Amino acid sequence: PSPTDGTHLPTAIAGKDVVLHLPQERDLTPAQWGDGGSATFTSRDTDYRISPFAGGGVDVNIIRRTIFTPDNFTFGLRVPEGTHVRQGSNVVLVESDAAPGLPATTIATLSVPVARDAKGNPVQVTPVIHGDYMYQQSNLALDLGPADIFAFPVTITLSYRASSIPASGQLASD
C-alpha cells in the first residue's frame, strides 16, 4: 500500500479502527514486505517498519539512520467517531467518549516509546499529544533527546495494542 493510505488498526470494539499516519508520509517509498507481514517504508534518512502483533496491534520501529535525521517524529492518529486520545501514565490511550451512566473505556493503547542507540544505550523519548485541523485526528509527536553521534542508527519502538492493557514499548516475541 501507499504510505499515505495510513495503517488501519483494530480497537477493542469491532468495526472501530484507528488509522495511523507515518511522519512525512508523502516522502516515503511504497511498502517493502518482509517476514510475518511486516512492511517497511523508507525515506532518505529514516525507515519505518510496521510489524503485526498477534491479537490486534503493531510494533512500529523507527530507524533514525544518521545524526542529520530530524529528532522529532509526528504521527497522525485518526480515531473513530465517539472516541478520543488521552495521555495516561506511560501510555497514550484511545478511549470511548463518556456518556451519562457510561464512563469512558479504553479501546486501544500506544506505549510511551523506547529508544536505543547502536551501542544499546537508551535515548530519551518524550511523547506529546496535540490536536489537528482534521476532524477526529490527533497528532502524537515523539521528541528525541540527545544521541551519541558515534552510535547510529537509533531505533525507536512504538507499540500499539487493540486492548485496554498498555504495551510496554519493548519488541514483541511474536
Side-chain angles (χ1 to χ4, degrees), residues 50-161:
I50 301 174
S51 302
F53 181 83
V58 295
D59 288 329
V60 179
N61 293 304
I62 306 144
I63 297 103
R64 182 179 175 216
R65 288 187 256 142
T66 72
I67 188 71
F68 305 109
T69 305
D71 56 6
N72 177 287
F73 301 90
T74 301
F75 291 83
L77 289 173
R78 193 96 191 260
V79 296
E81 179 107 19
T83 67
H84 60 272
V85 177
R86 180 176 68 83
Q87 178 76 46
S89 298
N90 295 316
V91 68
V92 173
L93 305 165
V94 179
E95 296 178 324
S96 63
D97 292 341
L102 202 62
T105 304
T106 301
I107 62 171
T109 64
L110 290 113
S111 67
V112 169
V114 173
R116 298 213 176 268
D117 66 19
K119 296 178 183 176
N121 297 316
V123 176
Q124 180 182 344
V125 183
T126 304
V128 178
I129 298 172
H130 53 86
D132 195 314
Y133 65 92
M134 292 183 64
Y135 177 71
Q136 288 297 108
Q137 180 162 313
S138 294
N139 288 328
L140 173 61
L142 307 180
D143 294 320
L144 292 179
D148 179 345
I149 62 170
F150 300 109
F152 277 81
V154 172
T155 301
I156 306 118
T157 301
L158 175 67
S159 297
Y160 172 93
R161 300 293 181 263

